[in-house]
Amino acid sequence: MNLETPSVLFDEKRIRERLAELGGSISAAFEGSEICIVGHMKGCLVFVADLIRVIPLDTTCHFLTASALPGAGAGAACTDISYSSEVLYEGRHVLLVEDVVDTGITLNFLLDHIRDASPASLKVCALIDKPGRRKVDVTLDWAAFTLDEPETGFVVGYGLDYDEHYRGLPYIGTIPRPAAFSEGQQA
Ligand code: 5GP
Ligand code: MG
């Protein structure tokens, strides 16, 4: 495939520094409790791998995948849990790790799904927050990076893909927003 070379937005050093800050802040917030980390695959994969190594607490790792319901078109608010590793949320301190929060539709759905199972607490950490593009009001506890400009482009690398490509880039970069990801499309 003929892939466009992304422009570097956050390089490896910047990511490493930010991860160290996040690790400290998350560890302080959980006050020594065991953390049940739930990663939204696949975009979270590199982020979770790095995050658990900067949180000096007892962490367990679980993953789930959400997808648009079959037939739900662009901008549809419906998502479905299409995969979940076995995880008992009840009574546990859950940290949901999301790759990108854009319209907020996916995160809102995931939060409802986890809340239904009565965790002791539920917090959210996103790699990239794009607050200017929200359609649903969701609150994040942490974001590694916040993109204030609504049209920064489409972020790839460090686990984030476009059409499954770019996940292995060690930095976070941008490419022009693909047509498939115009208004409200699900990933
Ligand atoms: P939302 O439901 O918040 O609109 O969309 C969240 C999902 O869309 C994310 O989980 C992510 O997979 C995808 N997404 C949104 N913006 C981007 C982006 O700039 N880059 C990548 N790689 N995925 C994105
Ligand atoms: Mg995704």
Side-chain angles (χ1 to χ4, degrees):
M1 191 171 159
N2 203 0
L3 292 175
E4 186 144 357
T5 304
S7 318
V8 178
L9 191 59
F10 305 113
D11 64 14
E12 288 180 77
K13 182 169 174 280
R14 180 87 191 277
I15 295 173
R16 211 169 31 247
E17 287 166 357
R18 185 63 188 120
L19 260 287
E21 287 173 6
L22 267 185
S25 170
I26 291 172
S27 307
F30 280 86
E31 297 175 329
S33 305
E34 176 187 315
I35 311 180
C36 173
I37 294 190
V38 179
H40 178 201
M41 289 297 263
K42 300 178 221 170
C44 76
L45 77 98
V46 178
F47 187 36
V48 167
D50 279 351
L51 200 58
I52 56 176
R53 287 179 288 177
V54 292
I55 298 175
L57 295 176
D58 184 11
T59 54
T60 63
C61 293
H62 314 269
F63 299 94
L64 48 69
T65 309
S67 54
L69 289 172
C78 289
T79 44
D80 193 17
I81 301 292
S82 51
Y83 166 80
S84 176
S85 53
E86 216 160 284
V87 41
L88 301 172
Y89 298 113
E90 193 176 341
R92 302 179 78 178
H93 296 288
V94 175
L95 177 64
L96 176 61
V97 180
E98 177 63 300
D99 56 356
V100 182
V101 182
D102 189 45
T103 64
I105 292 171
T106 308
L107 176 61
N108 191 48
F109 173 80
L110 293 176
L111 288 173
D112 281 349
H113 167 74
I114 297 174
R115 264 190 219 112
D116 279 351
S118 312
S121 67
L122 176 56
K123 291 187 161 55
V124 182
C125 179
L127 175 61
I128 303 279
D129 185 16
K130 297 180 175 179
R133 292 181 43 88
R134 278 304 190 282
K135 289 189 174 165
V136 175
D137 193 20
V138 284
T139 308
L140 306 185
D141 297 277
W142 297 275
F145 300 106
T146 300
L147 304 183
D148 290 320
E149 181 60 47
E151 277 318 316
T152 333
F154 193 77
V155 285
V156 293
Y158 193 70
L160 306 176
D161 76 313
Y162 167 55
D163 203 16
E164 294 302 327
H165 299 278
Y166 299 110
R167 292 197 200 276
L169 293 177
Y171 62 88
I172 296 170
T174 58
I175 56 172
R177 175 165 285 269
F181 282 84
S182 55
E183 280 318 289
Q185 276 276 17
Q186 300 291 296

